[in-house]
Amino acid sequence: MDFCLGGVNTLAQALYKIEATKTKKEAIQGFNYSSTRINTDNKFEFKYGRIDIRASMPSATGTWVAFWLLNKDYSVQNPAAEWPSGGEIDIMEYLGQDKNKILGTPHYGSDLANHRYNSTYYTTTNEGFDKAYYVFSLVWEEDKITWLVNDEVYKTFTPNDTGGQPYPFNDEFYLLISLSVGGNLPVSPIPTEYSAFLIVDFIRVFQAI
């Protein structure tokens, strides 16, 4: 499949900076810190294409960044009500304590008891993800998903990889960007280095026309 500039949707062209800071600490739902999540639910939902996100990660240990997609049928306020049967595609996840590693993951399964995921790590041999801009990409086609960093392919996923579970990734999804403090990927320490910044240069979605 060829993707051309004529079919591009530019969701964020200007520079965006998302900050985690101790001065904005707040308790919520039994946790000591809140997190930030930006989403396109009911604003921009799409199926297939190439997604490019150029960004630089925070340096602080205990931060957790995710660029991800959720099925359009999930409510962004309570995706767990439908998850994982509709699917989740993690374009990129990054932990502040692993500055040279990111991972890409699809989540799927007929119900919560049958939840499956397939994670692959990518390790850079260049500057850490907190020291330079990298382009995190997903090429999403019918029955095939490909993950890339700076145009280097490091993972593919097809219906043959689900272990017999339904393949939910031929539906419309919406995009989320999140910066969390702490978390369970794995259980992370609370940052002591503030402020911590996620800087997003652009988000682009290319689709065939």
Side-chain angles (χ1 to χ4, degrees):
M1 180 179 290
D2 295 324
F3 302 102
C4 61
L5 189 58
V8 64
N9 288 291
T10 302
L11 302 184
Q13 184 61 57
L15 193 70
Y16 286 83
K17 181 171 67 174
I18 302 172
E19 179 183 4
T21 173
K22 185 178 291 187
T23 62
K24 296 178 182 178
K25 176 183 175 182
E26 63 177 349
I28 185 169
Q29 296 180 355
F31 297 94
N32 293 326
Y33 289 80
S34 63
S35 297
T36 295
R37 182 175 62 188
I38 299 170
N39 70 86
T40 67
D41 183 27
N42 292 320
K43 304 177 188 74
F44 180 69
E45 298 170 341
F46 65 106
K47 180 169 71 172
Y48 307 146
R50 174 176 174 133
I51 306 157
D52 288 341
I53 304 174
R54 186 174 187 263
S56 180
M57 299 296 109
S59 298
T61 295
T63 52
W64 175 9
V65 174
F67 302 148
W68 45 311
L69 298 168
L70 283 178
N71 190 291
K72 67 177 183 353
D73 292 334
Y74 290 166
S75 163
V76 73
Q77 287 82 17
N78 184 25
E82 301 290 338
W83 190 90
S85 61
E88 172 184 328
I89 306 171
D90 297 333
I91 302 170
M92 188 282 297
E93 291 182 279
Y94 163 89
L95 298 174
Q97 55 266 39
D98 296 322
K99 296 175 175 55
N100 290 79
K101 292 182 180 180
I102 56 98
L103 73 157
T105 307
H107 293 264
Y108 51 95
S110 58
D111 52 33
L112 190 59
N114 288 289
H115 170 224
R116 304 286 186 274
Y117 63 93
N118 185 309
S119 296
T120 300
Y121 279 89
Y122 175 92
T123 301
T124 181
T125 57
N126 299 312
E127 292 182 283
F129 291 108
D130 62 323
K131 299 298 184 185
Y133 284 100
Y134 284 79
V135 178
F136 307 97
S137 303
L138 193 81
V139 175
W140 177 22
E141 306 167 75
E142 183 176 4
D143 289 339
K144 185 179 180 181
I145 308 171
T146 304
W147 283 255
L148 310 90
V149 174
N150 288 352
D151 273 334
E152 179 184 348
V153 173
Y154 73 95
K155 177 182 180 64
T156 60
F157 189 80
T158 74
N160 293 330
D161 300 316
T162 65
Q165 290 296 314
Y167 183 88
F169 304 115
N170 292 327
D171 199 356
E172 290 189 349
F173 281 63
Y174 58 89
L175 177 68
L176 303 96
I177 296 175
S178 54
L179 171 57
S180 302
V181 175
N184 60 357
L185 183 71
V187 175
S188 297
I190 297 301
T192 58
E193 312 150 60
Y194 285 101
S195 291
F197 297 99
L198 166 62
I199 304 174
V200 178
D201 183 21
F202 62 71
I203 304 169
R204 295 172 181 160
V205 178
F206 300 81
Q207 293 183 294
I209 57 172

